[in-house]
Amino acid sequence: MSNDQMNDVSKKGHQTESDLHWIRDRLRSFAEERQWQQFHTPKNLASALVVEAAELLEPFQWLGQGTKEELGAEQYVAVKHEMADVLSYLVMLADKLEIDLISATQEKIALNALKYPVDKVKGDARKYSAYHDGKQNKK
């Protein structure tokens, strides 16, 4: 990607569904140009996603909180690039499985709101199953 293309991408503001479509289309073209579609099976993409997520975690290892300040400039860039890799593989996987990530995310947020009602979970980060029957058995 040329510097001009990178600048055009970095100038984009907030993310929208059309931005995800642009990313999906660019990733499709990238893979097609290299004849990599044959390797982009759902299983392989899911595996690559997990590997990239692990790489995202690496710069945070041994940090107290993992704040931007703790990361420092070099590690911050590494985190940014690993996050882009995670997003890329997620978008490619959704594309292969014909999943609308925006709709799926909206659906999941609604489901989580039901599983974690504010009046039961406010200030408490336990898993939803710990709140069954209205009991809050804190460990």
Side-chain angles (χ1 to χ4, degrees):
M1 185 179 282
S2 72
N3 284 339
D4 288 339
Q5 289 173 313
M6 287 175 56
N7 288 337
D8 286 344
V9 171
S10 65
K11 286 180 186 174
K12 284 194 167 274
H14 62 287
Q15 299 299 306
T16 65
E17 187 171 3
S18 64
D19 292 326
L20 280 180
H21 289 156
W22 182 90
I23 291 168
R24 179 204 61 204
D25 293 345
R26 183 66 187 103
L27 290 167
R28 280 179 182 171
S29 295
F30 187 87
E32 287 170 10
E33 290 166 356
R34 290 154 181 81
Q35 297 182 343
W36 286 353
Q37 314 92 307
Q38 62 185 319
F39 308 115
H40 290 177
T41 64
K43 180 200 75 72
N44 286 351
L45 292 169
S47 297
L49 175 61
V50 170
V51 169
E52 294 300 336
E55 290 177 7
L56 172 60
L57 182 58
E58 187 177 15
F60 294 100
Q61 189 176 15
W62 313 120
L63 297 181
Q65 298 293 315
T67 63
K68 184 177 177 180
E69 295 74 26
E70 276 185 290
L71 285 168
E74 187 177 317
Q75 291 299 337
Y76 179 77
V77 170
V79 165
K80 179 174 72 169
H81 290 161
E82 293 303 336
M83 290 175 73
D85 287 342
V86 168
L87 177 62
S88 295
Y89 280 116
L90 182 60
V91 168
M92 287 189 289
L93 180 58
D95 187 29
K96 284 289 180 188
L97 295 176
E98 299 178 359
I99 293 172
D100 178 336
L101 282 174
I102 301 295
S103 295
T105 302
Q106 291 168 341
E107 182 181 322
K108 185 62 177 174
I109 289 168
L111 289 170
N112 282 342
L114 294 173
K115 287 198 302 192
Y116 296 98
V118 174
D119 63 322
K120 288 187 179 181
V121 304
K122 193 170 188 176
D124 190 348
R126 291 177 295 148
K127 187 173 178 174
Y128 68 90
S129 58
Y131 301 102
H132 58 66
D133 299 324
K135 297 176 186 171
Q136 291 194 7
N137 300 321
K138 292 192 177 188
K139 294 179 179 179

